[in-house]
Amino acid sequence: MPARDRVGHWGDESAEAALPGRRLSALAEQAARCTADCCGASSTVAEAGAERPAAVTHPDLAGLVAVQLRSGDGPIPAALERGEPVDSADLLHDERWPEYRALALDSGVRSSVTLPFRRSGLTVTLSLYSFRPGALDDAWHGPVHALGEFAASCLVRDRSYRAALTELDHLGAALRSRPVVDQACGIVMHVLGCDAEAAFGVLRRISQGTNRKLADVAAGVVSRRGRGLERDLAALLN
């Protein structure tokens, strides 16, 4: 598949494709396919205060990712810390990362390279593995680098899209509650003889003081038509 077609695949706008796990799986699979002598790949995404999803092209590679994330030691943590590629040309003679190295060699992996791609507080890592030593020396050039850069951009865009949907949900809820809030304000204005701004301030103070949603407070005022609330409302007006 040409590189531009692989990038086009990543541009899929469907909700399912926008899930972080699906994005990472697509990145790992495409990177492994376009890299000579690569026996598999893994990808992760790291963001402050968030979970760290990961994807692998083969079940045996899941352990290699897990041991690094658990111990904080290995090519992935090193790439996240440095912000630059971390490779091992031959794990048989590499004395770094003992847990990762032992597990990799037990799986037949002799060399690996991990590439980080940073965008807007988010870092995607792409790790490539080979059964042969020195087989991935030039792996971060060409299509793999383009795939990683585009994957990071897509994940940032997905994050913005999810944030926009959340904001729209909140806006929709606010719009749906607006009629009952307006009605409650009218009742408070009538009971207290105040203007709309003061009436809304009373409802907001009740909401903050009772840790209840403004719409719920308004619904309570409307259901009682303000009866029995005169003294409490007047106290909040001052």
Side-chain angles (χ1 to χ4, degrees), residues 63-116:
L64 291 181
V65 175
V67 71
Q68 296 180 73
L69 299 184
R70 183 181 69 249
S71 67
D73 190 37
I76 293 176
L80 288 171
E81 180 181 355
R82 301 175 192 172
E84 59 187 30
V86 176
D87 70 323
S88 177
D90 191 349
L91 286 164
L92 186 62
H93 303 293
D94 197 328
E95 296 182 355
R96 297 171 295 175
W97 324 307
E99 285 189 81
Y100 167 77
R101 175 175 174 263
L103 191 58
L105 291 174
D106 189 56
S107 301
V109 173
R110 286 289 298 274
S111 59
S112 69
V113 60
T114 297
L115 315 176

Side-chain angles (χ1 to χ4, degrees), residues 2 5 10 17 20 27 33 42 54 78 80 91 94 101 114 126 146 148 169 175 186 194 215 227 229 232 234-235:
D5 293 337
W10 262 86
L27 171 61
R33 289 173 187 168
S42 67
L80 288 171
L91 286 164
D94 197 328
R101 175 175 174 263
T114 297
L126 172 62
D169 286 343
L175 290 174
C194 62
R227 291 189 293 271
L229 299 175
D232 293 336

Side-chain angles (χ1 to χ4, degrees), residues 64-228:
L64 291 181
V65 175
V67 71
Q68 296 180 73
L69 299 184
R70 183 181 69 249
S71 67
D73 190 37
I76 293 176
L80 288 171
E81 180 181 355
R82 301 175 192 172
E84 59 187 30
V86 176
D87 70 323
S88 177
D90 191 349
L91 286 164
L92 186 62
H93 303 293
D94 197 328
E95 296 182 355
R96 297 171 295 175
W97 324 307
E99 285 189 81
Y100 167 77
R101 175 175 174 263
L103 191 58
L105 291 174
D106 189 56
S107 301
V109 173
R110 286 289 298 274
S111 59
S112 69
V113 60
T114 297
L115 315 176
F117 303 91
R118 289 181 173 171
R119 289 286 189 286
S120 304
L122 175 152
T123 303
V124 174
T125 67
L126 172 62
S127 299
L128 304 174
Y129 310 90
S130 177
F131 293 137
R132 296 179 52 226
L136 302 171
D137 291 345
D138 298 321
W140 54 81
H141 302 297
V144 165
H145 189 270
L147 285 169
E149 293 283 359
F150 192 67
S153 297
C154 283
L155 285 163
V156 169
R157 183 191 64 186
D158 295 342
R159 181 182 62 184
S160 299
Y161 178 66
R162 291 192 298 272
L165 287 180
T166 299
E167 186 175 349
L168 284 175
D169 286 343
H170 291 164
L171 179 60
L175 290 174
R176 288 190 296 272
S177 67
R178 181 62 184 270
V180 72
V181 172
D182 287 345
Q183 190 176 355
C185 281
I187 292 173
V188 174
M189 290 168 64
H190 175 73
V191 171
L192 300 180
C194 62
D195 60 21
E197 183 177 356
F200 183 78
V202 167
L203 295 177
R204 185 171 58 186
R205 289 176 67 181
I206 295 174
S207 172
Q208 294 171 343
T210 60
N211 197 28
R212 296 162 59 200
K213 292 181 179 179
L214 182 63
D216 294 339
V217 171
V221 171
V222 170
S223 67
R224 297 176 61 176
R225 296 293 189 270
R227 291 189 293 271

